[in-house]
């Protein structure tokens, strides 16, 4: 029986009705393409959020997270679903979204969360939280929702109620991940396929940098892309091939707009090329595309930072590394490194050593296992 079962019981004096787990994600390639109608290639990882919950007989909601013990137990009422200005805004926003989508929640519930995902590191702890809450609500109230719908609900909650205009990648990966496979997802059509990922290991290095303005800078990038899309007169930036973009890019006289759009179009194509390389087991080509992706995020999209650039540059010069890039929204967070299995230990030692020498802090490093998406755990 999982530990969270007992922790729930200790706090609420009743056993939970169900326990679920929603993983974090790491994106291998296809960055800032999802909200431009393009392709992404994320994986779900073994780290994530556990949620235990039980239905109540009244309309009260109670939330407790082991990650934020100082916030204590947060209470609210189904008839007054106001944001609280803390982590509980995520579950509250998902509950509001259920109502907005025509799935009213009649009874209250008690929730308990525990997480082994580093907060603010760019491994999508917020998407995992949204998906965990969605899974739990569908179970507690017997609502017939698919995992894809839960991903869309999570994204809607974040867009509408949290105020970050994120794409669908993070929630989709958390809900739909598959052990030992990457997900090639077209964020426009939501069509997807699983691509086996084998014979290499993935190591995540956390720069420890958290950019406080990351969400507003993210929304700025979206606006810049939208301006470019209108000037190019296309339904989405990712509907253009590289060649079409190069032919039409004269209409983008503003340098920033031009570079943002170039990143998106080229990154989208790189993602398809990378998925094809993975399918044919060509890890060298895959790694090279990861390196190209980083360069483009750094120079054209300008969402990297000194620490991420240092980690990537250092990694790319370590023996046995196929490729290295920043992953996620950027402005801090993590790098993802694809490495030959036999080189993993040396890589971890060297990357820690170099980062410590340069920035005087030891980065957290995670060897990740490619895992299944959200599911229920036996209680
Ligand atoms: C964040 C968003 C995703 C995606 C990435 C950048 O993680 O939540 O939807 O846009 O940034 O690729």
């Amino acid at each position: 029986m999982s530990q969270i079962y007992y922790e729930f019981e200790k706090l609420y004096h009743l056993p939970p009705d169900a326990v679920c787990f929603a993983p974090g994600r790491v994106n291998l390639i296809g960055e800032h393409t999802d909200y431009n109608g393009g392709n992404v290639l994320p994986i779900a990882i073994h780290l994530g959020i556990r949620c235990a919950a039980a239905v109540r007989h009244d309309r009260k909601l109670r939330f407790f997270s082991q990650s934020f013990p100082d916030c204590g137990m947060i209470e609210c009422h189904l008839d007054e679903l106001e944001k609280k200005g803390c982590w509980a805004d995520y579950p509250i926003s998902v509950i509001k979204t259920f109502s907005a989508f025509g799935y009213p929640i009649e009874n209250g519930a008690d929730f308990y969360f525990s997480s082994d995902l580093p907060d603010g590191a760019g491994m999508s702890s917020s998407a995992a939280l949204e998906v965990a809450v969605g899974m739990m609500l569908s179970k507690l109230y017997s609502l017939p929702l698919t995992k894809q719908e839960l991903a869309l609900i999570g994204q809607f909650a974040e867009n509408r109620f949290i105020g970050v205009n994120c794409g669908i990648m993070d929630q989709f990966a958390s809900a739909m991940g598959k052990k030992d496979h990457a997900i090639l997802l077209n964020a426009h059509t939501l069509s997807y396929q699983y691509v086996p990922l084998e014979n290499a290991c993935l190591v995540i290095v956390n720069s420890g940098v958290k950019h406080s303005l990351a969400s507003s800078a993210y929304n700025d990038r979206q606006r810049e892309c939208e301006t470019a899309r209108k000037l190019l007169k296309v339904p989405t930036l990712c509907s253009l091939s590289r060649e079409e973009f190069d032919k039409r890019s004269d209409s983008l006289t503003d340098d920033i707009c031009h570079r943002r759009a170039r990143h998106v179009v080229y990154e989208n194509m790189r993602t398809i090329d990378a998925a094809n390389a993975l399918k044919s087991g060509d890890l060298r080509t895959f790694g090279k595309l990861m390196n190209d992706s980083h360069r483009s995020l750094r120079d054209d999209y300008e969402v990297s930072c000194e620490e991420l650039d240092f980690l990537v540059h250092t990694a790319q010069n370590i023996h046995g590394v196929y490729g290295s890039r920043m992953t996620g929204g950027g402005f801090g967070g993590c790098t993802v490194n694809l490495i030959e299995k036999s080189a993993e230990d040396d890589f971890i030692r060297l990357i820690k050593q170099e980062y410590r020498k340069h920035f005087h802090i030891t980065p957290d490093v995670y060897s990740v296992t490619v895992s299944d998406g959200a599911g229920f755990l036996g209680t």
Side-chain angles (χ1 to χ4, degrees), residues 148-334:
Q148 280 201 42
E149 286 170 319
L150 294 180
L152 288 166
I153 285 179
Q155 183 199 14
F156 184 94
E158 185 135 355
N159 292 172
R160 177 66 62 89
F161 299 118
I162 301 291
V164 177
N165 294 322
C166 63
I168 187 65
M169 171 171 70
D170 304 348
Q171 292 81 3
F172 198 96
S174 179
M176 300 287 293
K178 181 170 171 177
K179 190 172 169 34
D180 298 330
H181 290 74
I183 315 166
L184 175 62
L185 167 69
N186 181 298
H188 191 53
T189 60
L190 293 193
S191 64
Y192 65 96
Q193 50 176 291
Y194 293 115
V195 186
L197 179 57
E198 44 204 11
N199 300 324
C201 53
L202 284 167
V203 177
I204 308 306
V205 183
N206 187 355
S207 68
V209 178
K210 292 185 195 176
H211 194 308
S212 58
L213 296 175
S215 61
S216 66
Y218 183 91
N219 290 348
D220 288 346
R221 291 295 176 282
Q222 282 207 335
R223 269 191 296 276
E224 290 159 1
C225 288
E226 182 55 11
T227 307
R229 185 194 69 77
K230 285 190 182 142
L231 290 167
L232 288 162
K233 300 192 175 62
V234 284
T236 63
L237 285 181
C238 291
S239 60
L240 290 172
S241 66
R242 271 182 286 242
E243 294 71 25
E244 285 163 346
F245 174 77
D246 289 345
K247 265 191 229 147
R248 298 164 72 158
S249 61
D250 285 353
S251 55
L252 302 177
T253 46
D254 175 64
D255 177 53
I256 290 194
C257 254
H258 181 260
R259 285 187 292 118
R260 303 298 189 249
R262 182 169 60 194
H263 163 75
V264 170
V265 172
Y266 276 59
E267 179 78 354
N268 185 42
M269 295 283 112
R270 265 194 294 272
T271 306
I272 295 169
D273 294 346
N276 286 334
L278 205 54
K279 283 179 197 164
S280 54
D282 183 355
L283 296 178
R284 288 198 188 286
T285 300
F286 190 90
K288 188 187 160 300
L289 291 162
M290 289 174 78
N291 296 345
D292 294 346
S293 166
H294 184 79
R295 201 172 309 118
S296 175
L297 288 159
R298 183 191 66 198
D299 300 339
D300 274 356
Y301 218 63
E302 295 180 289
V303 289
S304 188
C305 63
E306 191 194 343
E307 291 82 352
L308 289 172
D309 292 342
F310 178 87
L311 284 172
V312 164
H313 181 255
T314 306
Q316 287 170 353
N317 287 297
I318 294 177
H319 172 77
V321 173
Y322 291 113
S324 175
R325 57 182 287 275
M326 54 154 278
T327 181
F331 310 103
C334 296

